Amino acid sequence: MSESNRAFGQALVKSLVGERGHLPIARALPDITVELAGKRMEGAPYTIYQLLKHMSYWQNFLLTYLDGGKPQLPSSVVESWPSEGEPESEDEWQLVIKQFLQGIDKAISYSESMQLDETLTHFPTETKAGILRNIASHNSYHLGEIVLLRRLFGAWPPPGGGYPA
């Protein structure tokens, strides 16, 4: 693996976990209660639960390409949003968080081990780096929405502080 590939892989890792530009994503989620996850804010189209489920949907979709598969494109982007606004239980909510963070771990592993400038068999106009960058930027975008909802609900910063406070 070339030094430039390794350096770019490390830059992707920083984007995937969150560094400098925002709070590490793993710190923004675990203390969210099941009640907060499903709480509605007037004027906001989604709950925190729906945002995280949507993030997981696209993260898993894109990771399928890196696994060598060809994910089934939804007929509409609406399919990537859950219709239910809240988790059924605390156990379900914790599982949603766990699965999402496992997807980030998988993306990190790929960032550190793949030849990032290679194109994908089932997406020949995209590189492995492009897929990982897309995961990082999509997650970052929606993490900002989660943090904003937490602020509006008075549930920010998380334990240990948040950046920015």
Side-chain angles (χ1 to χ4, degrees):
M1 185 180 300
S2 71
E3 187 55 39
S4 61
N5 188 87
R6 190 175 343 278
F8 189 61
Q10 287 307 305
L12 283 170
V13 168
K14 290 175 182 177
S15 294
L16 287 162
V17 299
E19 187 207 39
R20 295 191 183 131
H22 58 74
L23 176 77
I25 201 164
R27 286 204 28 232
L29 302 173
D31 68 305
I32 297 174
T33 64
V34 68
E35 294 80 19
L36 181 59
K39 192 172 182 178
R40 293 226 173 251
M41 170 65 66
E42 186 178 334
Y46 304 109
T47 64
I48 291 172
Y49 170 77
Q50 289 171 313
L51 285 162
L52 192 58
K53 290 283 284 190
H54 171 80
M55 292 162 71
S56 291
Y57 179 94
W58 287 110
Q59 180 171 265
N60 292 335
F61 181 92
L62 293 169
L63 286 170
T64 299
Y65 283 117
L66 297 176
D67 291 337
K70 184 177 182 181
Q72 178 65 39
L73 194 62
S75 59
S76 167
V77 74
V78 172
E79 291 177 33
S80 69
W81 290 98
S83 57
E84 66 280 358
E86 59 192 32
E88 290 182 17
S89 66
E90 181 67 35
D91 287 343
E92 180 199 353
W93 174 236
Q94 291 305 315
L95 183 60
V96 169
I97 293 171
K98 179 181 176 182
Q99 290 172 337
F100 175 74
L101 295 176
Q102 286 172 337
I104 289 177
D105 288 343
K106 188 175 190 179
I108 289 168
S109 176
Y110 285 155
S111 296
E112 295 173 331
S113 64
M114 289 186 156
Q115 185 58 41
L116 298 171
D117 60 353
E118 291 178 349
T119 57
L120 300 157
T121 304
H122 298 293
F123 195 168
T125 60
E126 185 61 270
T127 64
K128 293 174 180 178
I131 292 291
L132 291 161
R133 183 214 47 83
N134 194 317
I135 291 170
S137 63
H138 186 255
N139 285 347
S140 181
Y141 175 87
H142 289 300
L143 177 64
E145 293 179 304
I146 289 172
V147 169
L148 179 60
L149 285 172
R150 289 189 65 166
R151 285 177 180 267
L152 293 171
F153 290 133
W156 191 259
Y163 176 78

